[in-house]
Amino acid sequence: MTTKILALTDALGNLVRFVLLPGQRFDTVGVAPLLDGIEFEALIADKAFDSNAIVGDLDARGAKVVISQHPRRTSPRMIDEEMYKWRHLIENFFGKLKEFKRIAMRADKTDQSFAAFIPS
């Protein structure tokens, strides 16, 4: 009943790929499978994805890091505030997804049936 959906969208808010995680897992666990094999110039995310491992991976790729800073970060990084405003596209994607009662209520019991309902 606590399935998490981690989604990666393009610059227009269209779904690129998604990962299902158990509700008790950290969100950062699902980032590596989302980014594997994809080239991009920047990653926009909220503070749940502000970890040294993710930031280090993005720096190694040469991608711009546009992740809201977690308040406990010891050395704050500068982010592009104007680019961060585009994070609403992923929020819009999840808003549309939650219009489906089966997704919002997490009615499906298996990952396969849950994932089949997510439009890709």
Side-chain angles (χ1 to χ4, degrees):
M1 295 301 288
T2 59
T3 303
K4 287 185 183 180
I5 303 170
L6 267 64
L8 181 67
T9 63
D10 62 11
L12 300 174
N14 300 316
L15 182 67
V16 174
R17 66 170 65 150
F18 67 93
V19 174
L20 297 178
L21 294 175
Q24 71 274 12
R25 295 296 304 249
F26 290 111
D27 292 341
T28 56
V29 174
V31 173
L34 281 178
L35 303 181
D36 187 38
I38 295 181
E39 293 184 26
F40 51 90
E41 294 181 21
L43 181 74
I44 303 172
D46 65 356
K47 67 179 82 177
F49 300 97
D50 182 28
S51 76
N52 292 334
I54 293 172
V55 170
D57 179 44
L58 295 174
D59 286 341
R61 290 173 178 246
K64 188 173 188 174
V65 179
V66 188
I67 298 175
S68 178
Q69 304 294 303
H70 196 278
R72 290 179 284 166
R73 181 169 277 286
T74 56
S75 56
R77 297 174 54 105
M78 296 300 296
I79 66 167
D80 185 345
E81 296 290 335
E82 287 301 312
M83 187 179 278
Y84 187 73
K85 291 178 183 177
W86 288 94
R87 194 174 72 83
H88 78 280
L89 292 172
I90 189 74
E91 298 296 336
N92 293 347
F93 169 77
F94 277 107
K96 290 176 194 170
L97 197 60
K98 289 179 182 178
E99 290 177 8
F100 298 103
K101 185 177 179 181
R102 290 176 62 180
I103 297 291
M105 302 296 291
R106 290 166 171 73
D108 293 316
K109 302 297 181 205
T110 64
D111 284 349
Q112 184 177 7
S113 60
F114 194 82
F117 204 76
I118 298 174
S120 43

